[in-house]
Amino acid sequence: MAESALLRVCNLNTEFIIPDKGPARALEDVSFEVHPGETLGLVGESGCGKTTALMSILRLLPSNARISGQVFFKDVDLFGLSEKQMRAYRWRELAIVFQGAMNALNPVMRVGEQIREAITLHGLMSSSEAEMRVGELLELVGIPKERGAQYPFQYSGGMRQRAMIAMALACSPSVLFADEPTTALDVMVQAQVLELLNDIQQRLGLAIVLVTHDLGVVAEMCDTVVVMYGGKVAEYGPVDVIFNDPQHPYTQKLLESFPDLNEPTDPSTDSRQVLASIPGAPPRLTEIPPGCRFEPRCHVRIEKCKTESPPLMDVGENHLAACHLLK
Amino acid sequence: MSRRDYLLRKFLFSLLTIFVVLVINFMLFRVLPGDPVRSVIGRNVRISAEMQASLREQFGLDKPVFPDQFFATLQQWAGGNLGVSWSLRQPVAEVLMSKLGNTLLLIGLGQVLSIVFGVALGLFAGWKRKTSFDVGSLTFSLIAWATPTFWLGIILLAAGSTWLGLPTGGIVSPQNVGKPLYTVLPDLARHLVLPTLTMTILYLGEYMLIMRSSILEVLSEDYILTAKAKGMSHWQVLWRHGLKNAMLPIVTMIALNLGFTVSGAIYIETVFSYDGLGKLFHTALVRQDYPLLQGAFLLLAVSVIVANMLADILYTTLDPRVKAN
Ligand SMILES: Nc1ncnc2c1ncn2[C@@H]1O[C@H](COP(=O)(O)OP(=O)(O)O)[C@@H](O)[C@H]1O
Ligand code: SF4
Ligand SMILES: [Mg+2]
């Protein structure tokens, strides 16, 4: 399986140095793989490190971050590259649509120009060819190409997000990171954007890493799921296995109030509401307990959970979970 | 409100402001102490009462202040006639125009240099935040900003003339006085160094501080992260996405500032005996030359108002968000 992976994240550890407080261990030993054409869902409650994981891979974290581990893109170790070499991979191979992208476009630059810039920057085409491509990209995401001459403030929220997606596709990347691409949008527009992502993936065959809160979206869009808790991978496996036979107590709780996969999804079933039903709060990253990070909130914890951190174990075909109960 | 209506309103408001300035300008000089006739002819010269009366008549000072003097003055001003300088016995407008060029030269050079260096310094300091470069230029800027004009001028004058042998005053050397300036450029340049440097340092600090905080704000914006994620180098990010956004609030500030630099030049010109408006105003003040002072005040007020108007136009032109509304 490893041979065919486009992106392999191995034992990613990320800390933020916080003055007077010591390091905040935002990610610990996070590993996952992304295969061509696959949609990988990254789920977990707010603050569990989803954005940090994407930013670590792209090496775009602020200077107070310390990263270790390995990230292979087609067998090239991204962490071994110089900053200049790394730039050639950004957007060209690994593009991202940011969380809350309302301000992700430059307010004083025309939208079309911002897309064109991404293409010419990587020297993919001449300026005039890029101009054509910008028109195609905008139409691909359902924006009339004339509107490329407009500024972001002339766009609605949904249009901005679609423009961001068009921009992310500009260099035909191998992997698209979509960090909660619909959070800031209203429900109707959310559905449109997701449909667009789905449609694009069918047509272009690129891999998508989709960060989301919404289990309904995961069920609909993803092939594989990584469930994260407190900076660690709690469970990792194919979407139908995770939904039908969750092994980790946290995943089980998450899915408990989630309606059956085969029933139509109710857009109001958001994992945030479900999460609120699990008493307690995630661990503080500056004071990580020695045992299982979920222990304070776990309904089935045992003695050793307090002292020993459970390793990620094989629990089925392509299915991993980290819990002491799964021996 | 469309942009045109907005600018039109601003323009009408500017006209109104100028009128108010005119009224104040007129009144102010009628309540000032001192006998202008005395100051024209000198305090100790004996002069007959008839002679004094005829001088008063000549200058229109025998008529009541309101309405006669007021309307007479307004009518003159409207026709571009700012009266005759009592001390120089030349039309005020002519005197002002003859010095305007020199002052614009000093202000122009000083402002261009302080804007270029201030903005560049602020940009790099903000970008290299918390490094020794940042701390160093921040300290320098704060000191430069807080330094009194007069003091800095004198220090530079002393240092420049002692160590660099630069001229201490004037706009050209005595033997070149009266020649057209373009024929004596090297000499002019040597005389310009110190006053220009003074003005540059004085304004540089302010521009640096504004630019620094502006770029810091911009660099924390989401679209900067987008630019980095696109694979741009730090330079490209700064140049293509940082600069324009950070400059927007500053362009307006600079335009506003320009209006006040004319009055700022008074100190510098006085210190360096630079033959410009500032020195002229100083002389006018000392000699109680009402018409000249009125003309000077009018010029200062109008330059501030015009700069305001300019700032508005720039603001509505450069930012597409404002332009469209
Ligand atoms: N630059 C930073 N400095 C310090 N802590 C940070 C920084 N960025 C993120 N964190 C912390 O790392 C944790 C993970 O954040 P994030 O990756 O944004 O979570 P998610 O995307 O899953 O909501 C959070 O606790 C957050 O406070
Ligand atoms: S290891 Fe223990 S505390 Fe952690 S999830 Fe499993 S049972 Fe719960
Ligand atoms: Mg996030």
Side-chain angles (χ1 to χ4, degrees), chain A residues 55 60 87 90-91 94 96 98 100 103-109 113-115 117-118 121-122 151 153-154 164 167, chain B residues 221-234 236 240-242 244-245 248 318-322 324-325:
Chain A
M55 293 309 214
L60 285 175
R87 290 210 307 267
R90 291 193 190 122
W91 222 261
L94 309 168
I96 182 166
F98 289 109
N103 303 313
L105 292 163
N106 186 339
V108 299
M109 202 189 252
E113 168 59 16
Q114 298 188 49
I115 300 176
E117 173 187 76
L121 181 76
H122 289 280
Y151 291 92
F153 74 92
Q154 291 162 308
M164 275 305 290
M167 188 151 97
Chain B
E221 296 281 353
D222 290 347
Y223 55 82
I224 293 294
L225 189 61
T226 306
K228 286 182 193 161
K230 278 178 173 177
M232 297 184 132
S233 68
H234 290 305
Q236 287 168 318
R240 288 190 55 92
H241 294 273
K244 183 167 181 197
N245 280 291
L248 280 178
L318 291 182
D319 192 331
R321 286 162 294 189
V322 184
N325 290 334

Side-chain angles (χ1 to χ4, degrees), chain A residues 43-78:
Chain A
V43 288
E45 64 202 293
S46 192
C48 74
K50 305 178 297 290
T51 301
T52 304
L54 300 186
M55 293 309 214
S56 302
I57 296 168
L58 289 166
R59 293 174 44 186
L60 285 175
L61 287 171
S63 55
N64 69 332
R66 301 285 171 270
I67 313 176
S68 68
Q70 285 167 308
V71 172
F72 293 99
F73 175 79
K74 292 181 179 167
D75 295 325
V76 177
D77 182 2
L78 296 183

Side-chain angles (χ1 to χ4, degrees), chain A residues 14-19 24-27 42-55 61-65 99 179-180 211 213 228 230-231 283-285:
Chain A
T14 301
E15 292 181 350
F16 293 106
I17 310 295
I18 304 169
R25 300 176 60 190
L27 295 179
L42 213 53
V43 288
E45 64 202 293
S46 192
C48 74
K50 305 178 297 290
T51 301
T52 304
L54 300 186
M55 293 309 214
L61 287 171
S63 55
N64 69 332
Q99 186 172 1
D179 192 355
E180 307 199 26
V211 172
H213 272 115
M228 287 181 67
R284 271 198 219 143
L285 300 177

Side-chain angles (χ1 to χ4, degrees), chain B:
Chain B
M1 190 168 31
S2 82
R3 176 169 166 255
R4 232 189 59 214
D5 291 350
Y6 172 79
L7 287 178
L8 193 68
R9 238 175 65 162
K10 283 276 174 184
F11 181 70
L12 292 176
F13 191 73
S14 298
L15 288 182
L16 183 69
T17 318
I18 290 181
F19 178 75
V20 173
V21 165
L22 290 178
V23 174
I24 294 175
N25 205 5
F26 176 82
M27 294 198 305
L28 191 63
F29 286 95
R30 306 296 139 167
V31 299
L32 282 177
D35 181 352
V37 174
R38 267 285 158 213
S39 74
V40 174
I41 52 181
R43 234 162 268 287
N44 299 316
V45 180
R46 286 187 170 273
I47 181 170
S48 70
E50 294 87 71
M51 189 62 182
Q52 282 201 26
S54 97
L55 273 173
R56 280 179 195 285
E57 205 179 322
Q58 190 187 329
F59 291 141
L61 293 170
D62 57 332
K63 305 224 176 63
V65 170
F66 192 85
D68 298 46
Q69 286 193 32
F70 179 68
F71 284 117
T73 312
L74 274 196
Q75 206 176 355
Q76 279 183 12
W77 283 348
N81 178 1
L82 299 181
V84 175
S85 159
W86 290 339
S87 63
L88 301 172
R89 296 179 183 280
Q90 276 175 32
V92 168
E94 222 169 80
V95 179
L96 289 178
M97 288 314 282
S98 73
K99 307 290 180 189
L100 186 65
N102 289 354
T103 295
L104 285 182
L105 184 65
L106 174 61
I107 293 178
L109 273 176
Q111 286 297 313
V112 167
L113 288 175
S114 56
I115 290 168
V116 168
F117 286 108
V119 163
L121 212 58
L123 198 64
F124 291 128
W127 181 35
K128 298 275 178 205
R129 191 185 179 181
K130 288 181 182 160
T131 60
S132 47
F133 178 83
D134 181 32
V135 176
S137 45
L138 199 58
T139 313
F140 172 77
S141 297
L142 281 169
I143 293 173
W145 195 31
T147 306
T149 312
F150 221 78
W151 185 83
L152 179 70
I154 290 170
I155 296 291
L156 286 177
L157 180 77
S161 58
T162 314
W163 292 321
L164 301 174
L166 288 167
T168 55
I171 188 161
V172 286
S173 306
Q175 72 272 16
N176 288 331
V177 172
K179 294 182 191 167
L181 286 181
Y182 60 87
T183 58
V184 289
L185 282 180
D187 188 38
L188 175 67
R190 275 166 53 79
H191 282 79
L192 272 170
V193 170
L194 291 176
T196 306
L197 187 65
T198 310
M199 177 162 265
T200 306
I201 292 177
L202 283 171
Y203 285 91
L204 184 150
E206 192 181 348
Y207 294 142
M208 182 275 176
L209 292 171
I210 317 168
M211 187 64 194
R212 182 180 177 275
S213 66
S214 185
I215 192 74
L216 279 181
E217 205 181 305
V218 165
L219 287 181
S220 70
E221 296 281 353
D222 290 347
Y223 55 82
I224 293 294
L225 189 61
T226 306
K228 286 182 193 161
K230 278 178 173 177
M232 297 184 132
S233 68
H234 290 305
W235 276 108
Q236 287 168 318
V237 173
L238 204 60
W239 181 251
R240 288 190 55 92
H241 294 273
L243 189 63
K244 183 167 181 197
N245 280 291
M247 280 300 286
L248 280 178
I250 292 181
V251 169
T252 327
M253 284 235 38
I254 289 175
L256 282 175
N257 223 340
L258 284 180
F260 293 100
T261 52
V262 181
S263 53
I266 295 181
Y267 295 103
I268 300 179
E269 293 188 2
T270 309
V271 171
F272 291 97
S273 319
Y274 185 91
D275 193 19
L277 288 175
K279 203 173 140 235
L280 183 71
F281 297 172
H282 184 78
T283 320
L285 196 66
V286 173
R287 297 209 194 154
Q288 289 182 356
D289 188 339
Y290 287 0
L292 189 51
L293 275 180
Q294 273 182 338
F297 273 40
L298 198 59
L299 190 76
L300 290 183
V302 168
S303 60
V304 172
I305 292 165
V306 168
N308 246 296
M309 193 69 214
L310 185 72
D312 272 319
I313 294 173
L314 278 175
Y315 174 67
T316 55
T317 318
L318 291 182
D319 192 331
R321 286 162 294 189
V322 184
K323 192 175 179 177
N325 290 334

